[in-house]
Every structure is written in structure tokens, then in C-alpha cells.
Amino acid sequence: MMSVGPFSVHVIVVVLAALIAWLVARSMQRAEPNSPRKTAAHLLLDALLVGLIAARLGYVARWWPEYLATPRSILAIGDGGFDWWIGLPAAVALVLWKSHHARALRRPALIGIAAGMLAWAAAQGTLATLQRATPSLSALQLEGMDGSAVSFDKPIGKPVVLNLWASWCPPCRREMPILAQAQSDHPGVVFLMVNQGEQAPTVQQFLAQQGLSFDHVLLDPLSEAMQTFGSRGLPTTLFFDAQGKLVDSHMGEITAARLKDVVEHRLQP
């Protein structure tokens, strides 16, 4: 559910929606007599590019302090940071402007955009349904640093951010200071750092060397959490509500902006 091969399922959804929009625009123009030289499909690709750039810039502006702290993360588009309500008007505006003297392009391009948005919305609804069917936090059986069994048979009563990581994973190492800061900034959220496949001494040594302090560090010797939640790689960050239900997920290195966005808008009451 979380990925298709190395790609996030959300990226696959956007690509498929764009492909549907392009195909619809192309087929619509074929039915139009006396079509101009520039095709509606090409215009749609221009609009898609402008819309994505506008959506990204809008998101970056909204979370500017977090991106300013690490400017390189602005280019980390894999964090899913796009504001569709900014990108869509920008794409439509470009179509209207460029088709001012070629009206035959306007209708196919706009219908293509509408078809793409409908496909994207339908896919988002399907993903939300699948996510509700994903195992809850109670499915996990982990170990404490002292080797004791840790289970979640009862809801914690607070939202949970669960990070799957390993000390040998470079993106895990890079994002851990961000998670440590988020733990400090959001005391009402429980951060569970679940190590995958390593022993307690290795984990303790790594955290001490990096100067990292987390309230809850757990072990998953057999990496069963990755299998339970369908993660294809590390790091993976899972977001659970106070009842232990999965409400969002992120595979790969997460930015400070994306983490804060999900915590404040998906986990907070």
C-alpha cells in the first residue's frame, strides 16, 4: 500500500492522473476539426509543469521557517509537499492564457485537466479506504532496550509517530535530528523509534555517538513491522491517531516541513 517498487504510491497516483489527463486531451482534440498546429496534449503538459511548480512553491512558502533551516530540502519533492489548491488555478490560468488565440485548444485541455483531477480524487479515496484496512498499532510486538516484550493491546491515548530505522541507513541518520526536535516541539504526541534488525548495544552506541535522545526507543529484531505495514525500505514514518489507527505514512527521508504538516493537521485535534 505504501509503495510500488521503489516509488511512493502517491507519486504513482500523480503520474497516472497526469497520463489520464494527457490521453483525454489528446483524444478530445482528435475529434475537433481544423485543430491548430500546437496540440492540446502539449499545452496540458505545459500546464502540468507550471501547476506542479506553483503547488510546490505554495507549500514551501507555507512552511518557510522549516525549509529555511535546511534549504536543500526545498528540492526534496519526494516529501509530498504540494498544495493542489494553488497548483490547479495556476494550471488552468496557463491554459486560458495560451489558448487565447487558439480556442480549439482550450476545451480539450480543460477537459483533460478535469479528467486528471477526477482520477486523482478517486485514487485518493481508494488509498484512504485501503489505509483504514491497514493493521493498527495493536498488531505490533516489539522489544524494549532491556529485551522485555512490548505490545500495544490498549490504545496509548495519544497520537503516535512511529519511525522505522536502522543505524546503517544514511537517510535514517539524516532525518533523526528532525524527529528529535519534533518530539521536543510536540509533547502531546508519542514518538516511537523502532529499530529494524539491530541489537540493543549497537542502537545504544549509535544514539550516544550522535548525541540523540528519544523517550521511546524499541527494537524489532526480525523487522516484522516492515512486513506488517508493507514498507519496502527505510526509513519509514507511520502516523497513528490516539486510537491506534494509521492515518498517514511516509516512506523515505522526511523533511521537517512535511513532518510538522502531518503532525499538526492529521494528528492534532
Side-chain angles (χ1 to χ4, degrees):
M1 187 191 77
M2 295 175 57
S3 64
V4 178
F7 301 103
S8 165
V9 70
H10 297 288
V11 173
I12 300 298
V13 165
V14 171
V15 171
L16 290 178
L19 178 61
I20 290 173
W22 181 81
L23 290 173
V24 169
R26 186 178 181 184
S27 62
M28 285 289 297
Q29 190 178 12
R30 282 182 174 178
E32 296 282 346
N34 303 318
S35 296
R37 185 175 181 181
K38 183 176 177 65
T39 68
H42 287 159
L43 177 58
L44 191 82
L45 290 178
D46 293 342
L48 176 63
L49 178 61
V50 169
L52 287 174
I53 292 174
R56 180 61 176 175
L57 290 177
Y59 189 87
V60 169
R62 191 154 58 96
W63 300 100
W64 179 243
E66 285 69 32
Y67 282 111
L68 184 61
T70 54
R72 188 177 297 181
S73 65
I74 294 175
L75 301 178
I77 59 175
D79 68 357
F82 295 89
D83 283 335
W84 69 268
W85 45 272
I86 293 177
L88 179 59
V92 171
L94 183 76
V95 168
L96 295 177
W97 174 57
K98 283 204 166 187
S99 63
H100 180 68
H101 296 295
R103 293 299 180 92
L105 294 176
R106 180 172 294 181
R107 183 169 175 269
L110 291 179
I111 291 178
I113 290 176
M117 289 302 297
L118 285 173
W120 176 80
Q124 291 296 318
T126 301
L127 288 176
T129 300
L130 292 175
Q131 192 157 266
R132 285 193 292 270
T134 302
S136 66
L137 194 59
S138 62
L140 289 180
Q141 297 291 328
L142 305 173
E143 292 183 9
M145 293 293 283
D146 59 358
S148 60
V150 177
S151 62
F152 300 92
D153 297 331
K154 297 180 180 179
I156 294 177
K158 292 182 178 181
V160 172
V161 174
L162 188 150
N163 183 258
L164 306 179
W165 67 283
S167 64
W168 49 260
C169 163
C172 299
R173 299 164 71 103
R174 288 195 298 268
E175 73 175 10
M176 290 190 82
I178 292 174
L179 290 158
Q181 183 61 50
Q183 175 185 256
S184 176
D185 293 341
H186 303 282
V189 177
V190 176
F191 284 77
L192 300 179
M193 306 301 295
V194 181
N195 180 271
Q196 299 295 288
E198 296 180 296
Q199 299 299 314
T202 301
V203 174
Q204 289 173 332
Q205 182 180 16
F206 168 75
L207 294 176
Q209 289 175 343
Q210 300 298 317
L212 294 167
S213 178
F214 291 99
D215 295 336
H216 307 284
V217 179
L218 302 174
L219 304 177
D220 184 10
L222 300 179
S223 301
E224 293 178 344
M226 294 184 67
Q227 301 173 34
T228 298
F229 295 106
S231 173
R232 301 292 184 87
L234 297 177
T236 292
T237 307
L238 306 167
F239 301 87
F240 298 87
D241 62 18
Q243 287 71 47
K245 299 296 184 181
L246 185 69
V247 297
D248 210 332
S249 60
H250 183 91
M251 191 183 77
E253 185 177 350
I254 196 167
T255 62
R258 179 61 176 164
L259 179 59
K260 187 174 182 179
D261 185 7
V262 177
V263 168
E264 293 191 355
H265 293 107
R266 299 299 304 276
L267 299 185
Q268 302 290 6

